[in-house]
Amino acid sequence: MKVLSSITLAFALGTAAAAGANAPAGHDARWEAAREAIWAKELAIYEGRGRGDLSLYLGNTATNYVAWPPFNEVPKGNDGLRATGAQLAGKTKEHLEMTFLDLALNGDTAVVYYKTHRTMRADGTPSDERFEVTHTWVMQDGTWKVLGGMARARPDR
């Protein structure tokens, strides 16, 4: 079985979950289309990150994008993404599982909710890190673009 870059099979599992068991019942075709398009972009962004390349992420940010990564003291925009991309260059060993949880959709705005489990950092350091993530997406120039987000280390529950 071929694994995309350093990303694990969990991408395929996350996609299957998004299409089935985790998708709330009763959503219309517009919700399904938004979920499919946005989740595919989320998966592709992380796949690029696993190759040490944030260009796809940068290419999918909306005007005035700002997000708050879990280890940053404050939110950051595209300049922060570029700096992170420079730090990741050549580091391609990240192993990360993603699980779709839900999508809120209102007009041309959507918020996607998912969780990740990182078992290896980009530099090859083993880890057992779990995060909860939201990204807010807006329709801009006919395509979904990420406007903002927040990730946090999953608290003990």
Side-chain angles (χ1 to χ4, degrees):
M1 174 166 90
K2 182 178 179 185
V3 176
L4 293 175
S5 185
S6 61
I7 304 302
T8 67
L9 173 63
F11 280 114
L13 297 175
T15 302
N22 289 345
H27 288 291
D28 62 16
R30 188 170 183 283
W31 183 93
E32 289 290 342
R35 180 211 30 89
E36 184 177 318
I38 290 167
W39 190 239
K41 287 181 176 234
E42 291 282 358
L43 294 174
I45 286 167
Y46 278 86
E47 196 273 330
R49 186 176 103 168
R51 292 190 319 268
D53 179 9
L54 293 185
S55 64
L56 188 59
Y57 195 167
L58 284 159
N60 275 290
T61 59
T63 303
N64 299 321
Y65 162 86
V66 177
W68 201 343
F71 300 112
N72 282 65
E73 234 179 89
V74 296
K76 62 183 185 177
N78 283 337
D79 288 343
L81 271 182
R82 280 189 274 283
T84 299
Q87 293 170 348
L88 287 176
K91 297 176 183 170
T92 61
K93 296 179 181 175
E94 180 177 66
H95 287 237
L96 181 77
E97 298 175 8
M98 295 175 66
T99 305
F100 174 87
L101 297 174
D102 208 345
L103 180 87
L105 178 66
N106 187 317
D108 288 341
T109 305
V111 181
V112 64
Y113 299 84
Y114 57 94
K115 58 186 176 180
T116 66
H117 180 208
R118 183 165 59 183
T119 56
M120 186 176 294
R121 292 182 177 203
D123 65 1
T125 303
S127 66
D128 183 17
E129 299 168 296
R130 296 171 190 271
F131 301 95
E132 297 169 330
V133 183
T134 69
H135 275 156
T136 301
W137 292 77
V138 294
M139 185 63 71
Q140 185 175 311
D141 300 324
T143 189
W144 287 107
K145 298 281 190 168
V146 65
L147 175 64
M150 185 161 190
R152 67 177 180 180
R154 190 185 77 191
D156 290 333
R157 294 192 173 99

